[in-house]
């Protein structure tokens, strides 16, 4: 079992920046994918950014050019640098990890951290 703990959320003005951190309780090198999803009340959780254990990244169109995901396997950490934040980025952000085995896939989620973009 892997536990994921997010930190770094908060209130920021439009145009500002925040860095989210996700600490994993186990070695993330074995995780195929890690990433960040976000959810607004009443809406489905959506992908913000993911990164493979090979370093390949994927971003939602709405955050491309503004968000950067990074993975530090030595420290078992994943980060999301968010720049030029907009009010529509307001959401609970969840850290995510996936490990694909031969016969099943294991998905892990953090508890979430609130990001509010408002003046």
């Amino acid at each position: 079992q892997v536990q994921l703990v997010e930190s770094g959320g908060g209130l920021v003005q439009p145009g500002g920046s925040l860095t989210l951190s996700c600490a994993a309780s186990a070695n993330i090198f074995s995780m195929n994918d890690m990433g960040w999803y976000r959810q607004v009340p009443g809406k489905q959780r959506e992908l913000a950014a993911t990164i493979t254990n090979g370093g390949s990244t994927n971003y939602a169109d709405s955050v491309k050019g503004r968000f950067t995901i990074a993975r530090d396997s030595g420290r078992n950490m994943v980060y999301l640098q968010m720049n030029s934040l907009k009010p529509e980025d307001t959401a609970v952000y969840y850290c995510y990890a996936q490990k694909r085995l031969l016969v099943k896939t294991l998905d892990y989620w953090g508890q979430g951290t609130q990001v509010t973009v408002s003046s």
Side-chain angles (χ1 to χ4, degrees), residues 36-76:
W36 294 90
Y37 283 69
R38 62 187 186 180
Q39 189 170 23
V40 175
K43 293 189 176 182
Q44 284 192 326
R45 194 171 295 185
E46 64 176 17
L47 177 149
T50 60
I51 185 168
T52 69
N53 57 6
S56 297
T57 58
N58 182 46
Y59 296 94
D61 288 342
S62 58
V63 309
K64 279 181 182 176
R66 300 188 298 120
F67 290 12
T68 302
I69 189 169
R71 176 174 179 158
D72 186 341
S73 295
R75 297 185 178 186
N76 296 324

PDB file of all heavy atoms in Angstrom, residues 36-76:
ATOM      1  N   TRP A  36      -1.216  14.528 -11.302  1.00  0.00           N
ATOM      2  CA  TRP A  36      -2.127  15.393 -10.570  1.00  0.00           C
ATOM      3  C   TRP A  36      -3.448  15.464 -11.314  1.00  0.00           C
ATOM      4  O   TRP A  36      -3.476  15.697 -12.530  1.00  0.00           O
ATOM      5  CB  TRP A  36      -1.535  16.791 -10.429  1.00  0.00           C
ATOM      6  CG  TRP A  36      -0.314  16.828  -9.570  1.00  0.00           C
ATOM      7  CD1 TRP A  36       0.982  16.679  -9.962  1.00  0.00           C
ATOM      8  CD2 TRP A  36      -0.282  17.027  -8.157  1.00  0.00           C
ATOM      9  NE1 TRP A  36       1.820  16.753  -8.884  1.00  0.00           N
ATOM     10  CE2 TRP A  36       1.071  16.979  -7.760  1.00  0.00           C
ATOM     11  CE3 TRP A  36      -1.245  17.247  -7.180  1.00  0.00           C
ATOM     12  CZ2 TRP A  36       1.471  17.134  -6.438  1.00  0.00           C
ATOM     13  CZ3 TRP A  36      -0.849  17.408  -5.872  1.00  0.00           C
ATOM     14  CH2 TRP A  36       0.492  17.352  -5.497  1.00  0.00           C
ATOM     15  N   TYR A  37      -4.509  15.254 -10.571  1.00  0.00           N
ATOM     16  CA  TYR A  37      -5.851  15.451 -11.068  1.00  0.00           C
ATOM     17  C   TYR A  37      -6.494  16.549 -10.242  1.00  0.00           C
ATOM     18  O   TYR A  37      -6.039  16.853  -9.143  1.00  0.00           O
ATOM     19  CB  TYR A  37      -6.666  14.160 -10.956  1.00  0.00           C
ATOM     20  CG  TYR A  37      -6.346  13.141 -12.016  1.00  0.00           C
ATOM     21  CD1 TYR A  37      -5.122  12.491 -12.036  1.00  0.00           C
ATOM     22  CD2 TYR A  37      -7.270  12.823 -13.012  1.00  0.00           C
ATOM     23  CE1 TYR A  37      -4.824  11.557 -13.014  1.00  0.00           C
ATOM     24  CE2 TYR A  37      -6.979  11.885 -13.998  1.00  0.00           C
ATOM     25  CZ  TYR A  37      -5.757  11.262 -13.984  1.00  0.00           C
ATOM     26  OH  TYR A  37      -5.459  10.330 -14.955  1.00  0.00           O
ATOM     27  N   ARG A  38      -7.572  17.113 -10.758  1.00  0.00           N
ATOM     28  CA  ARG A  38      -8.266  18.144  -9.997  1.00  0.00           C
ATOM     29  C   ARG A  38      -9.768  17.970 -10.145  1.00  0.00           C
ATOM     30  O   ARG A  38     -10.257  17.421 -11.129  1.00  0.00           O
ATOM     31  CB  ARG A  38      -7.825  19.534 -10.453  1.00  0.00           C
ATOM     32  CG  ARG A  38      -8.122  19.867 -11.900  1.00  0.00           C
ATOM     33  CD  ARG A  38      -7.470  21.202 -12.263  1.00  0.00           C
ATOM     34  NE  ARG A  38      -7.847  21.635 -13.611  1.00  0.00           N
ATOM     35  CZ  ARG A  38      -7.410  22.758 -14.165  1.00  0.00           C
ATOM     36  NH1 ARG A  38      -6.575  23.563 -13.501  1.00  0.00           N
ATOM     37  NH2 ARG A  38      -7.805  23.094 -15.392  1.00  0.00           N
ATOM     38  N   GLN A  39     -10.464  18.477  -9.139  1.00  0.00           N
ATOM     39  CA  GLN A  39     -11.915  18.312  -9.115  1.00  0.00           C
ATOM     40  C   GLN A  39     -12.578  19.524  -8.505  1.00  0.00           C
ATOM     41  O   GLN A  39     -12.164  20.017  -7.448  1.00  0.00           O
ATOM     42  CB  GLN A  39     -12.295  17.056  -8.332  1.00  0.00           C
ATOM     43  CG  GLN A  39     -13.759  16.688  -8.426  1.00  0.00           C
ATOM     44  CD  GLN A  39     -14.032  15.321  -7.842  1.00  0.00           C
ATOM     45  OE1 GLN A  39     -13.278  14.811  -7.021  1.00  0.00           O
ATOM     46  NE2 GLN A  39     -15.131  14.708  -8.279  1.00  0.00           N
ATOM     47  N   VAL A  40     -13.621  19.951  -9.189  1.00  0.00           N
ATOM     48  CA  VAL A  40     -14.469  21.037  -8.720  1.00  0.00           C
ATOM     49  C   VAL A  40     -15.783  20.412  -8.252  1.00  0.00           C
ATOM     50  O   VAL A  40     -16.266  19.466  -8.874  1.00  0.00           O
ATOM     51  CB  VAL A  40     -14.729  22.047  -9.855  1.00  0.00           C
ATOM     52  CG1 VAL A  40     -15.720  23.113  -9.417  1.00  0.00           C
ATOM     53  CG2 VAL A  40     -13.427  22.681 -10.303  1.00  0.00           C
ATOM     54  N   PRO A  41     -16.379  20.906  -7.172  1.00  0.00           N
ATOM     55  CA  PRO A  41     -17.644  20.325  -6.698  1.00  0.00           C
ATOM     56  C   PRO A  41     -18.674  20.239  -7.807  1.00  0.00           C
ATOM     57  O   PRO A  41     -18.899  21.196  -8.554  1.00  0.00           O
ATOM     58  CB  PRO A  41     -18.075  21.299  -5.598  1.00  0.00           C
ATOM     59  CG  PRO A  41     -16.803  21.862  -5.090  1.00  0.00           C
ATOM     60  CD  PRO A  41     -15.902  21.979  -6.279  1.00  0.00           C
ATOM     61  N   GLY A  42     -19.280  19.065  -7.915  1.00  0.00           N
ATOM     62  CA  GLY A  42     -20.314  18.874  -8.916  1.00  0.00           C
ATOM     63  C   GLY A  42     -19.812  18.434 -10.271  1.00  0.00           C
ATOM     64  O   GLY A  42     -20.608  18.192 -11.181  1.00  0.00           O
ATOM     65  N   LYS A  43     -18.486  18.348 -10.410  1.00  0.00           N
ATOM     66  CA  LYS A  43     -17.904  17.933 -11.677  1.00  0.00           C
ATOM     67  C   LYS A  43     -17.000  16.723 -11.487  1.00  0.00           C
ATOM     68  O   LYS A  43     -16.570  16.427 -10.376  1.00  0.00           O
ATOM     69  CB  LYS A  43     -17.103  19.078 -12.302  1.00  0.00           C
ATOM     70  CG  LYS A  43     -17.962  20.256 -12.738  1.00  0.00           C
ATOM     71  CD  LYS A  43     -17.135  21.246 -13.550  1.00  0.00           C
ATOM     72  CE  LYS A  43     -18.001  22.377 -14.070  1.00  0.00           C
ATOM     73  NZ  LYS A  43     -17.221  23.337 -14.902  1.00  0.00           N
ATOM     74  N   GLN A  44     -16.731  16.041 -12.592  1.00  0.00           N
ATOM     75  CA  GLN A  44     -15.852  14.881 -12.535  1.00  0.00           C
ATOM     76  C   GLN A  44     -14.407  15.304 -12.311  1.00  0.00           C
ATOM     77  O   GLN A  44     -13.985  16.392 -12.709  1.00  0.00           O
ATOM     78  CB  GLN A  44     -15.951  14.097 -13.852  1.00  0.00           C
ATOM     79  CG  GLN A  44     -17.213  13.270 -13.986  1.00  0.00           C
ATOM     80  CD  GLN A  44     -17.147  12.304 -15.151  1.00  0.00           C
ATOM     81  OE1 GLN A  44     -16.546  12.597 -16.182  1.00  0.00           O
ATOM     82  NE2 GLN A  44     -17.745  11.140 -14.997  1.00  0.00           N
ATOM     83  N   ARG A  45     -13.676  14.412 -11.676  1.00  0.00           N
ATOM     84  CA  ARG A  45     -12.243  14.639 -11.507  1.00  0.00           C
ATOM     85  C   ARG A  45     -11.590  14.597 -12.898  1.00  0.00           C
ATOM     86  O   ARG A  45     -11.881  13.719 -13.707  1.00  0.00           O
ATOM     87  CB  ARG A  45     -11.657  13.564 -10.597  1.00  0.00           C
ATOM     88  CG  ARG A  45     -10.278  13.843 -10.079  1.00  0.00           C
ATOM     89  CD  ARG A  45      -9.879  12.835  -9.014  1.00  0.00           C
ATOM     90  NE  ARG A  45     -10.709  12.932  -7.828  1.00  0.00           N
ATOM     91  CZ  ARG A  45     -10.504  12.234  -6.707  1.00  0.00           C
ATOM     92  NH1 ARG A  45      -9.485  11.390  -6.634  1.00  0.00           N
ATOM     93  NH2 ARG A  45     -11.303  12.372  -5.679  1.00  0.00           N
ATOM     94  N   GLU A  46     -10.702  15.534 -13.146  1.00  0.00           N
ATOM     95  CA  GLU A  46     -10.073  15.607 -14.457  1.00  0.00           C
ATOM     96  C   GLU A  46      -8.559  15.642 -14.338  1.00  0.00           C
ATOM     97  O   GLU A  46      -7.995  16.117 -13.343  1.00  0.00           O
ATOM     98  CB  GLU A  46     -10.550  16.857 -15.219  1.00  0.00           C
ATOM     99  CG  GLU A  46     -10.154  18.169 -14.576  1.00  0.00           C
ATOM    100  CD  GLU A  46     -10.547  19.384 -15.402  1.00  0.00           C
ATOM    101  OE1 GLU A  46     -11.388  19.257 -16.306  1.00  0.00           O
ATOM    102  OE2 GLU A  46      -9.993  20.479 -15.150  1.00  0.00           O
ATOM    103  N   LEU A  47      -7.916  15.172 -15.380  1.00  0.00           N
ATOM    104  CA  LEU A  47      -6.463  15.156 -15.401  1.00  0.00           C
ATOM    105  C   LEU A  47      -5.918  16.571 -15.538  1.00  0.00           C
ATOM    106  O   LEU A  47      -6.440  17.376 -16.306  1.00  0.00           O
ATOM    107  CB  LEU A  47      -5.995  14.306 -16.581  1.00  0.00           C
ATOM    108  CG  LEU A  47      -4.502  14.193 -16.848  1.00  0.00           C
ATOM    109  CD1 LEU A  47      -4.196  12.824 -17.452  1.00  0.00           C
ATOM    110  CD2 LEU A  47      -3.995  15.274 -17.786  1.00  0.00           C
ATOM    111  N   ALA A  48      -4.879  16.854 -14.755  1.00  0.00           N
ATOM    112  CA  ALA A  48      -4.142  18.100 -14.945  1.00  0.00           C
ATOM    113  C   ALA A  48      -2.802  17.798 -15.629  1.00  0.00           C
ATOM    114  O   ALA A  48      -2.464  18.396 -16.643  1.00  0.00           O
ATOM    115  CB  ALA A  48      -3.913  18.801 -13.608  1.00  0.00           C
ATOM    116  N   ALA A  49      -2.058  16.848 -15.054  1.00  0.00           N
ATOM    117  CA  ALA A  49      -0.763  16.502 -15.620  1.00  0.00           C
ATOM    118  C   ALA A  49      -0.326  15.140 -15.112  1.00  0.00           C
ATOM    119  O   ALA A  49      -0.639  14.775 -13.974  1.00  0.00           O
ATOM    120  CB  ALA A  49       0.289  17.541 -15.240  1.00  0.00           C
ATOM    121  N   THR A  50       0.375  14.402 -15.957  1.00  0.00           N
ATOM    122  CA  THR A  50       0.940  13.124 -15.540  1.00  0.00           C
ATOM    123  C   THR A  50       2.378  13.008 -16.020  1.00  0.00           C
ATOM    124  O   THR A  50       2.791  13.714 -16.961  1.00  0.00           O
ATOM    125  CB  THR A  50       0.144  11.928 -16.087  1.00  0.00           C
ATOM    126  OG1 THR A  50       0.150  11.983 -17.513  1.00  0.00           O
ATOM    127  CG2 THR A  50      -1.286  11.911 -15.574  1.00  0.00           C
ATOM    128  N   ILE A  51       3.114  12.117 -15.372  1.00  0.00           N
ATOM    129  CA  ILE A  51       4.500  11.869 -15.759  1.00  0.00           C
ATOM    130  C   ILE A  51       4.795  10.393 -15.572  1.00  0.00           C
ATOM    131  O   ILE A  51       4.409   9.801 -14.568  1.00  0.00           O
ATOM    132  CB  ILE A  51       5.471  12.760 -14.938  1.00  0.00           C
ATOM    133  CG1 ILE A  51       6.915  12.581 -15.421  1.00  0.00           C
ATOM    134  CG2 ILE A  51       5.351  12.490 -13.446  1.00  0.00           C
ATOM    135  CD1 ILE A  51       7.864  13.650 -14.858  1.00  0.00           C
ATOM    136  N   THR A  52       5.448   9.794 -16.561  1.00  0.00           N
ATOM    137  CA  THR A  52       5.780   8.382 -16.475  1.00  0.00           C
ATOM    138  C   THR A  52       7.101   8.191 -15.734  1.00  0.00           C
ATOM    139  O   THR A  52       7.833   9.162 -15.490  1.00  0.00           O
ATOM    140  CB  THR A  52       5.906   7.765 -17.865  1.00  0.00           C
ATOM    141  OG1 THR A  52       7.081   8.305 -18.499  1.00  0.00           O
ATOM    142  CG2 THR A  52       4.689   8.067 -18.718  1.00  0.00           C
ATOM    143  N   ASN A  53       7.429   6.943 -15.424  1.00  0.00           N
ATOM    144  CA  ASN A  53       8.712   6.715 -14.750  1.00  0.00           C
ATOM    145  C   ASN A  53       9.883   6.932 -15.707  1.00  0.00           C
ATOM    146  O   ASN A  53      11.029   6.978 -15.270  1.00  0.00           O
ATOM    147  CB  ASN A  53       8.777   5.343 -14.083  1.00  0.00           C
ATOM    148  CG  ASN A  53       8.543   4.214 -15.052  1.00  0.00           C
ATOM    149  OD1 ASN A  53       8.446   4.427 -16.259  1.00  0.00           O
ATOM    150  ND2 ASN A  53       8.419   2.998 -14.539  1.00  0.00           N
ATOM    151  N   GLY A  54       9.578   7.079 -16.978  1.00  0.00           N
ATOM    152  CA  GLY A  54      10.610   7.434 -17.949  1.00  0.00           C
ATOM    153  C   GLY A  54      10.735   8.927 -18.171  1.00  0.00           C
ATOM    154  O   GLY A  54      11.610   9.383 -18.927  1.00  0.00           O
ATOM    155  N   GLY A  55       9.840   9.681 -17.528  1.00  0.00           N
ATOM    156  CA  GLY A  55       9.924  11.133 -17.630  1.00  0.00           C
ATOM    157  C   GLY A  55       9.029  11.770 -18.676  1.00  0.00           C
ATOM    158  O   GLY A  55       9.035  12.992 -18.837  1.00  0.00           O
ATOM    159  N   SER A  56       8.250  10.976 -19.381  1.00  0.00           N
ATOM    160  CA  SER A  56       7.326  11.543 -20.368  1.00  0.00           C
ATOM    161  C   SER A  56       6.160  12.203 -19.657  1.00  0.00           C
ATOM    162  O   SER A  56       5.624  11.654 -18.696  1.00  0.00           O
ATOM    163  CB  SER A  56       6.807  10.451 -21.305  1.00  0.00           C
ATOM    164  OG  SER A  56       7.869   9.888 -22.044  1.00  0.00           O
ATOM    165  N   THR A  57       5.778  13.372 -20.145  1.00  0.00           N
ATOM    166  CA  THR A  57       4.718  14.140 -19.495  1.00  0.00           C
ATOM    167  C   THR A  57       3.512  14.309 -20.406  1.00  0.00           C
ATOM    168  O   THR A  57       3.618  14.250 -21.637  1.00  0.00           O
ATOM    169  CB  THR A  57       5.228  15.530 -19.081  1.00  0.00           C
ATOM    170  OG1 THR A  57       5.712  16.214 -20.242  1.00  0.00           O
ATOM    171  CG2 THR A  57       6.340  15.412 -18.055  1.00  0.00           C
ATOM    172  N   ASN A  58       2.378  14.532 -19.757  1.00  0.00           N
ATOM    173  CA  ASN A  58       1.130  14.786 -20.470  1.00  0.00           C
ATOM    174  C   ASN A  58       0.361  15.832 -19.699  1.00  0.00           C
ATOM    175  O   ASN A  58       0.274  15.748 -18.465  1.00  0.00           O
ATOM    176  CB  ASN A  58       0.320  13.493 -20.577  1.00  0.00           C
ATOM    177  CG  ASN A  58      -0.964  13.692 -21.351  1.00  0.00           C
ATOM    178  OD1 ASN A  58      -0.976  14.314 -22.407  1.00  0.00           O
ATOM    179  ND2 ASN A  58      -2.053  13.161 -20.831  1.00  0.00           N
ATOM    180  N   TYR A  59      -0.166  16.813 -20.394  1.00  0.00           N
ATOM    181  CA  TYR A  59      -0.892  17.907 -19.748  1.00  0.00           C
ATOM    182  C   TYR A  59      -2.266  18.085 -20.376  1.00  0.00           C
ATOM    183  O   TYR A  59      -2.449  17.896 -21.577  1.00  0.00           O
ATOM    184  CB  TYR A  59      -0.120  19.220 -19.898  1.00  0.00           C
ATOM    185  CG  TYR A  59       1.221  19.240 -19.215  1.00  0.00           C
ATOM    186  CD1 TYR A  59       2.380  18.917 -19.908  1.00  0.00           C
ATOM    187  CD2 TYR A  59       1.329  19.596 -17.875  1.00  0.00           C
ATOM    188  CE1 TYR A  59       3.618  18.936 -19.278  1.00  0.00           C
ATOM    189  CE2 TYR A  59       2.564  19.628 -17.240  1.00  0.00           C
ATOM    190  CZ  TYR A  59       3.701  19.295 -17.951  1.00  0.00           C
ATOM    191  OH  TYR A  59       4.928  19.315 -17.329  1.00  0.00           O
ATOM    192  N   ALA A  60      -3.204  18.485 -19.536  1.00  0.00           N
ATOM    193  CA  ALA A  60      -4.493  18.903 -20.060  1.00  0.00           C
ATOM    194  C   ALA A  60      -4.276  20.163 -20.899  1.00  0.00           C
ATOM    195  O   ALA A  60      -3.410  20.987 -20.584  1.00  0.00           O
ATOM    196  CB  ALA A  60      -5.461  19.188 -18.922  1.00  0.00           C
ATOM    197  N   ASP A  61      -5.066  20.316 -21.951  1.00  0.00           N
ATOM    198  CA  ASP A  61      -4.916  21.488 -22.815  1.00  0.00           C
ATOM    199  C   ASP A  61      -5.056  22.781 -22.024  1.00  0.00           C
ATOM    200  O   ASP A  61      -4.384  23.773 -22.318  1.00  0.00           O
ATOM    201  CB  ASP A  61      -5.961  21.453 -23.929  1.00  0.00           C
ATOM    202  CG  ASP A  61      -5.663  20.394 -24.981  1.00  0.00           C
ATOM    203  OD1 ASP A  61      -4.504  19.923 -25.043  1.00  0.00           O
ATOM    204  OD2 ASP A  61      -6.590  20.030 -25.720  1.00  0.00           O
ATOM    205  N   SER A  62      -5.897  22.760 -21.020  1.00  0.00           N
ATOM    206  CA  SER A  62      -6.187  23.979 -20.257  1.00  0.00           C
ATOM    207  C   SER A  62      -5.002  24.447 -19.411  1.00  0.00           C
ATOM    208  O   SER A  62      -4.988  25.592 -18.965  1.00  0.00           O
ATOM    209  CB  SER A  62      -7.399  23.765 -19.352  1.00  0.00           C
ATOM    210  OG  SER A  62      -7.166  22.680 -18.477  1.00  0.00           O
ATOM    211  N   VAL A  63      -4.018  23.579 -19.188  1.00  0.00           N
ATOM    212  CA  VAL A  63      -2.883  23.962 -18.339  1.00  0.00           C
ATOM    213  C   VAL A  63      -1.552  23.969 -19.084  1.00  0.00           C
ATOM    214  O   VAL A  63      -0.537  24.382 -18.520  1.00  0.00           O
ATOM    215  CB  VAL A  63      -2.765  23.049 -17.095  1.00  0.00           C
ATOM    216  CG1 VAL A  63      -4.092  22.960 -16.372  1.00  0.00           C
ATOM    217  CG2 VAL A  63      -2.260  21.669 -17.465  1.00  0.00           C
ATOM    218  N   LYS A  64      -1.563  23.560 -20.339  1.00  0.00           N
ATOM    219  CA  LYS A  64      -0.317  23.516 -21.118  1.00  0.00           C
ATOM    220  C   LYS A  64       0.329  24.895 -21.181  1.00  0.00           C
ATOM    221  O   LYS A  64      -0.344  25.899 -21.409  1.00  0.00           O
ATOM    222  CB  LYS A  64      -0.597  23.015 -22.539  1.00  0.00           C
ATOM    223  CG  LYS A  64      -0.714  21.521 -22.645  1.00  0.00           C
ATOM    224  CD  LYS A  64      -0.970  21.096 -24.084  1.00  0.00           C
ATOM    225  CE  LYS A  64      -1.148  19.593 -24.185  1.00  0.00           C
ATOM    226  NZ  LYS A  64      -1.483  19.154 -25.565  1.00  0.00           N
ATOM    227  N   GLY A  65       1.628  24.907 -20.971  1.00  0.00           N
ATOM    228  CA  GLY A  65       2.364  26.161 -20.996  1.00  0.00           C
ATOM    229  C   GLY A  65       2.344  26.909 -19.681  1.00  0.00           C
ATOM    230  O   GLY A  65       3.081  27.885 -19.511  1.00  0.00           O
ATOM    231  N   ARG A  66       1.512  26.479 -18.746  1.00  0.00           N
ATOM    232  CA  ARG A  66       1.424  27.156 -17.441  1.00  0.00           C
ATOM    233  C   ARG A  66       1.855  26.254 -16.296  1.00  0.00           C
ATOM    234  O   ARG A  66       2.408  26.727 -15.309  1.00  0.00           O
ATOM    235  CB  ARG A  66      -0.007  27.642 -17.197  1.00  0.00           C
ATOM    236  CG  ARG A  66      -0.513  28.611 -18.232  1.00  0.00           C
ATOM    237  CD  ARG A  66      -1.863  29.208 -17.839  1.00  0.00           C
ATOM    238  NE  ARG A  66      -2.904  28.184 -17.731  1.00  0.00           N
ATOM    239  CZ  ARG A  66      -3.583  27.947 -16.614  1.00  0.00           C
ATOM    240  NH1 ARG A  66      -3.336  28.644 -15.515  1.00  0.00           N
ATOM    241  NH2 ARG A  66      -4.533  27.019 -16.597  1.00  0.00           N
ATOM    242  N   PHE A  67       1.568  24.952 -16.400  1.00  0.00           N
ATOM    243  CA  PHE A  67       1.884  23.996 -15.345  1.00  0.00           C
ATOM    244  C   PHE A  67       3.056  23.124 -15.785  1.00  0.00           C
ATOM    245  O   PHE A  67       3.188  22.785 -16.965  1.00  0.00           O
ATOM    246  CB  PHE A  67       0.694  23.084 -15.057  1.00  0.00           C
ATOM    247  CG  PHE A  67      -0.475  23.744 -14.380  1.00  0.00           C
ATOM    248  CD1 PHE A  67      -0.580  25.118 -14.253  1.00  0.00           C
ATOM    249  CD2 PHE A  67      -1.504  22.967 -13.856  1.00  0.00           C
ATOM    250  CE1 PHE A  67      -1.662  25.714 -13.623  1.00  0.00           C
ATOM    251  CE2 PHE A  67      -2.595  23.539 -13.226  1.00  0.00           C
ATOM    252  CZ  PHE A  67      -2.679  24.911 -13.112  1.00  0.00           C
ATOM    253  N   THR A  68       3.869  22.730 -14.812  1.00  0.00           N
ATOM    254  CA  THR A  68       4.975  21.819 -15.070  1.00  0.00           C
ATOM    255  C   THR A  68       5.000  20.745 -13.992  1.00  0.00           C
ATOM    256  O   THR A  68       5.016  21.068 -12.797  1.00  0.00           O
ATOM    257  CB  THR A  68       6.320  22.565 -15.075  1.00  0.00           C
ATOM    258  OG1 THR A  68       6.297  23.608 -16.062  1.00  0.00           O
ATOM    259  CG2 THR A  68       7.456  21.604 -15.402  1.00  0.00           C
ATOM    260  N   ILE A  69       5.008  19.499 -14.421  1.00  0.00           N
ATOM    261  CA  ILE A  69       5.076  18.380 -13.483  1.00  0.00           C
ATOM    262  C   ILE A  69       6.500  17.844 -13.455  1.00  0.00           C
ATOM    263  O   ILE A  69       7.184  17.812 -14.482  1.00  0.00           O
ATOM    264  CB  ILE A  69       4.072  17.268 -13.856  1.00  0.00           C
ATOM    265  CG1 ILE A  69       4.003  16.210 -12.755  1.00  0.00           C
ATOM    266  CG2 ILE A  69       4.387  16.656 -15.214  1.00  0.00           C
ATOM    267  CD1 ILE A  69       2.853  15.228 -12.936  1.00  0.00           C
ATOM    268  N   ALA A  70       6.929  17.455 -12.259  1.00  0.00           N
ATOM    269  CA  ALA A  70       8.266  16.893 -12.103  1.00  0.00           C
ATOM    270  C   ALA A  70       8.221  15.763 -11.093  1.00  0.00           C
ATOM    271  O   ALA A  70       7.367  15.760 -10.200  1.00  0.00           O
ATOM    272  CB  ALA A  70       9.244  17.970 -11.656  1.00  0.00           C
ATOM    273  N   ARG A  71       9.158  14.869 -11.244  1.00  0.00           N
ATOM    274  CA  ARG A  71       9.188  13.652 -10.417  1.00  0.00           C
ATOM    275  C   ARG A  71      10.605  13.452  -9.891  1.00  0.00           C
ATOM    276  O   ARG A  71      11.556  13.481 -10.677  1.00  0.00           O
ATOM    277  CB  ARG A  71       8.756  12.492 -11.298  1.00  0.00           C
ATOM    278  CG  ARG A  71       8.791  11.115 -10.745  1.00  0.00           C
ATOM    279  CD  ARG A  71       8.164  10.175 -11.769  1.00  0.00           C
ATOM    280  NE  ARG A  71       8.185   8.802 -11.304  1.00  0.00           N
ATOM    281  CZ  ARG A  71       7.379   7.851 -11.747  1.00  0.00           C
ATOM    282  NH1 ARG A  71       6.496   8.129 -12.670  1.00  0.00           N
ATOM    283  NH2 ARG A  71       7.471   6.633 -11.289  1.00  0.00           N
ATOM    284  N   ASP A  72      10.733  13.278  -8.593  1.00  0.00           N
ATOM    285  CA  ASP A  72      12.033  13.028  -7.964  1.00  0.00           C
ATOM    286  C   ASP A  72      11.974  11.665  -7.309  1.00  0.00           C
ATOM    287  O   ASP A  72      11.538  11.543  -6.165  1.00  0.00           O
ATOM    288  CB  ASP A  72      12.327  14.138  -6.950  1.00  0.00           C
ATOM    289  CG  ASP A  72      13.724  14.021  -6.355  1.00  0.00           C
ATOM    290  OD1 ASP A  72      14.321  12.940  -6.429  1.00  0.00           O
ATOM    291  OD2 ASP A  72      14.208  15.025  -5.808  1.00  0.00           O
ATOM    292  N   SER A  73      12.422  10.663  -8.027  1.00  0.00           N
ATOM    293  CA  SER A  73      12.331   9.298  -7.507  1.00  0.00           C
ATOM    294  C   SER A  73      13.233   9.103  -6.291  1.00  0.00           C
ATOM    295  O   SER A  73      12.932   8.290  -5.415  1.00  0.00           O
ATOM    296  CB  SER A  73      12.691   8.294  -8.604  1.00  0.00           C
ATOM    297  OG  SER A  73      11.743   8.327  -9.643  1.00  0.00           O
ATOM    298  N   GLY A  74      14.320   9.845  -6.218  1.00  0.00           N
ATOM    299  CA  GLY A  74      15.221   9.692  -5.082  1.00  0.00           C
ATOM    300  C   GLY A  74      14.601  10.135  -3.774  1.00  0.00           C
ATOM    301  O   GLY A  74      14.895   9.598  -2.709  1.00  0.00           O
ATOM    302  N   ARG A  75      13.698  11.099  -3.863  1.00  0.00           N
ATOM    303  CA  ARG A  75      13.027  11.610  -2.673  1.00  0.00           C
ATOM    304  C   ARG A  75      11.574  11.147  -2.585  1.00  0.00           C
ATOM    305  O   ARG A  75      10.855  11.539  -1.669  1.00  0.00           O
ATOM    306  CB  ARG A  75      13.059  13.140  -2.661  1.00  0.00           C
ATOM    307  CG  ARG A  75      14.468  13.709  -2.584  1.00  0.00           C
ATOM    308  CD  ARG A  75      14.453  15.208  -2.461  1.00  0.00           C
ATOM    309  NE  ARG A  75      15.804  15.755  -2.339  1.00  0.00           N
ATOM    310  CZ  ARG A  75      16.076  17.024  -2.111  1.00  0.00           C
ATOM    311  NH1 ARG A  75      15.087  17.890  -1.984  1.00  0.00           N
ATOM    312  NH2 ARG A  75      17.321  17.422  -2.012  1.00  0.00           N
ATOM    313  N   ASN A  76      11.159  10.355  -3.537  1.00  0.00           N
ATOM    314  CA  ASN A  76       9.775   9.864  -3.583  1.00  0.00           C
ATOM    315  C   ASN A  76       8.778  11.021  -3.581  1.00  0.00           C
ATOM    316  O   ASN A  76       7.797  11.024  -2.825  1.00  0.00           O
ATOM    317  CB  ASN A  76       9.496   8.914  -2.411  1.00  0.00           C
ATOM    318  CG  ASN A  76      10.327   7.659  -2.488  1.00  0.00           C
ATOM    319  OD1 ASN A  76      10.588   7.151  -3.578  1.00  0.00           O
ATOM    320  ND2 ASN A  76      10.771   7.154  -1.354  1.00  0.00           N
TER     321      ASN A  76
END
